[in-house]
Amino acid sequence: TARRGGTDVTTLDLHPAPQAAPAAARIRNHARTEIRLVMRNGEQLLLALVIPIGILVAGRFLGDRVGLTMDLLAPSVLALAIWSTCFTSQAIMTGFERRYGVLERLSATPLGRSGLLAGKAMAYSVISLVQVILLVIVSSTLGWHPHGSALAWLPALGNVILAMLAFGFLALAMAGSLKAEVTLGLANLIYIVGLVAGAILWPLADYPKAIRPIIAVLPTTALGESLRAWGAGQTLWSPLASLLIWAILLGLLARKVFRWIS
């Protein structure tokens, strides 16, 4: 605004000034887009909410017959939700984005490859957080009362973060190196195997002794055992080391095999 001849005159600068939005804004906007895309996908919603809630409801009335009380089942389903979103959903979505050239085009925008991965990580972390909140509400409605102490929160939170990283890196390694259809089938197969044989729903102690050493080293086992210990008010630090090693190894694998172009 300038003053000319006793009158205020407003001038507008209409010269082109193209520039990218700040990096934080680019990542945040991409994360919002990722969240909307996942929520519109029926298969992803099935994995994220329908199956975990169905297991909770069934476990409330039938769990005692298979040795799964609500004290064990509720934290196990929280682990299952993180597993399904950060691994299975991310692998499937990323695989088809890579096949249709979405990743290639987005990586060439100001968002960049690092921004693209950061936006994905933010999106799936938010989705997992919302999942956990909703499942805790459902579990509490069905009679679950967690006993987690303030100290028990520390290793549990650390394990959740490391598990998200490990599962996400595994998803990217698969989606970035295999065909989309192969990723779809293999991700669903690994999801089911993890659910049944990965100590997600059942405690490690319930498996036959002969196979416990194998199951004990899986990242799904570390997350499941950690959340069950938290739900019982116990402080369990040992899974942190396992998940840290898995996150590092799978991160290196994803970096080596991931390809932006199908």
Side-chain angles (χ1 to χ4, degrees):
T1 301
R3 191 171 183 82
R4 297 176 183 173
T7 305
D8 290 336
V9 178
T10 300
T11 58
L12 297 176
D13 184 2
L14 300 178
H15 289 87
Q19 60 180 348
R26 297 197 300 266
I27 293 172
R28 187 169 57 250
N29 291 335
H30 181 62
R32 281 200 292 261
T33 301
E34 288 276 352
I35 291 171
R36 286 196 295 267
L37 289 174
V38 172
M39 291 299 98
R40 290 176 185 173
N41 191 310
E43 181 181 0
Q44 309 307 317
L45 285 176
L46 180 70
L47 288 169
L49 288 175
V50 177
I51 291 178
I53 290 176
I55 293 173
L56 281 174
V57 174
R60 171 63 179 81
F61 300 102
L62 303 174
D64 291 337
R65 300 182 183 181
V66 293
L68 282 176
T69 62
M70 283 301 294
D71 285 342
L72 286 177
L73 183 62
S76 298
V77 171
L78 297 184
L80 175 65
I82 295 169
W83 167 241
S84 65
T85 295
C86 293
F87 168 65
T88 313
S89 295
Q90 189 167 186
I92 294 170
M93 290 286 290
T94 305
F96 281 96
E97 286 174 352
R98 176 171 170 264
R99 173 186 175 180
Y100 295 126
V102 176
L103 297 184
E104 179 185 3
R105 288 167 173 79
L106 285 177
S107 66
T109 68
L111 180 66
R113 297 186 176 188
S114 298
L116 176 59
L117 295 178
K120 277 185 171 293
M122 181 183 294
Y124 283 97
S125 296
V126 170
I127 292 171
S128 289
L129 176 62
V130 173
Q131 268 184 291
V132 168
I133 292 173
L134 291 176
L135 291 173
V136 166
I137 293 173
V138 173
S139 300
S140 299
T141 303
L142 293 173
W144 178 51
H145 301 291
H147 305 288
S149 64
L151 182 60
W153 272 92
L154 294 177
L157 182 59
N159 284 316
V160 165
I161 294 172
L162 289 174
M164 286 181 174
L165 286 174
F167 298 159
F169 286 143
L170 178 58
L172 291 176
M174 287 179 51
S177 60
L178 303 175
K179 292 184 177 180
E181 294 82 2
V182 176
T183 299
L184 172 63
L186 191 58
N188 282 317
L189 176 61
I190 294 176
Y191 168 76
I192 295 172
V193 171
L195 188 155
V196 175
I200 283 279
L201 284 183
W202 283 272
L204 180 63
D206 288 353
Y207 288 86
K209 289 184 178 180
I211 61 174
R212 281 184 204 169
I214 299 174
I215 298 175
V217 300
L218 298 177
T220 50
T221 303
L223 179 62
E225 293 292 289
S226 173
L227 290 181
R228 281 186 288 269
W230 163 78
Q234 301 170 1
T235 304
L236 189 63
W237 294 95
S238 56
L240 279 170
S242 174
L243 285 170
L244 179 60
I245 293 171
W246 275 110
I248 293 172
L249 292 178
L250 291 172
L252 293 174
L253 176 64
R255 182 179 180 181
K256 181 176 180 61
V257 304
F258 189 88
R259 298 292 179 268
W260 293 87
I261 301 174
S262 180

